[in-house]
Amino acid sequence: MAKYLMLKHYRGGPAAVNDVPMDQWTPDEVTAHIQYMKDFAAKLVSTGEFVDERALSPEGTFVRSGGPGRPPVTDGPFAETKDLIAGWMIIDVDTYERALELAAELSAAPGAGGEPLHEWLEVRPLLDVSLTGTE
């Protein structure tokens, strides 16, 4: 088994087929989208392929070390993940091909008008390295 991160982007890749921004969806369309995500995660739990998932809040801050003292905090001009990444899911699957298959299925979550988004998802393997040194 290998773990993969599937990133849902707001933008940054080619436009989705159903490219209506979520803030322009009706409440019922948002509810249907969230239910699709919950059902997808439940399916992966039942197959043993689910690890974790989170939707991300649009709030965020860009921080870097500025040396001694208080770190600089800015809202730009950097491309920030709060503007780019909507959420993520980690899966644990037997093959890379299965990771791609699941990402394609997740890409079909409904959006405006109940039509599939066909959005682009980024699929990245997780390194099997612990940074905590507790293993």
Side-chain angles (χ1 to χ4, degrees):
M1 300 285 278
K3 291 185 174 99
Y4 291 87
L5 172 68
M6 296 190 296
L7 286 172
K8 291 178 63 66
H9 291 268
Y10 286 119
R11 64 175 190 253
V17 172
N18 186 353
D19 195 25
V20 177
M22 189 180 237
D23 62 0
Q24 296 176 20
W25 298 0
T26 67
D28 287 344
E29 291 166 344
V30 172
T31 298
H33 180 80
I34 291 169
Q35 188 60 53
Y36 183 97
M37 301 295 291
K38 288 179 179 179
D39 293 345
F40 183 78
K43 180 183 98 167
L44 295 182
V45 167
S46 73
T47 63
E49 297 172 307
F50 181 83
V51 177
D52 197 10
E53 57 83 28
R54 292 287 187 276
L56 296 175
S57 166
E59 291 83 34
T61 302
F62 199 93
V63 178
R64 73 172 173 86
S65 171
R70 187 174 166 171
V73 176
T74 182
D75 261 344
F78 310 105
E80 299 183 53
T81 58
K82 70 180 179 184
D83 296 329
L84 301 176
I85 300 173
W88 51 267
M89 181 177 286
I90 297 175
I91 55 175
D92 194 358
V93 294
D94 289 327
T95 65
Y96 176 68
E97 290 72 22
R98 177 64 175 156
L100 297 180
E101 178 185 325
L102 292 174
E105 185 176 342
L106 184 58
S107 167
E115 295 298 316
L117 292 172
H118 297 290
E119 64 184 334
W120 289 93
L121 296 172
E122 183 178 355
V123 177
R124 296 181 65 180
L126 298 182
L127 294 176
D128 192 18
V129 176
S130 172
L131 298 179
T132 62
T134 59
E135 295 180 10

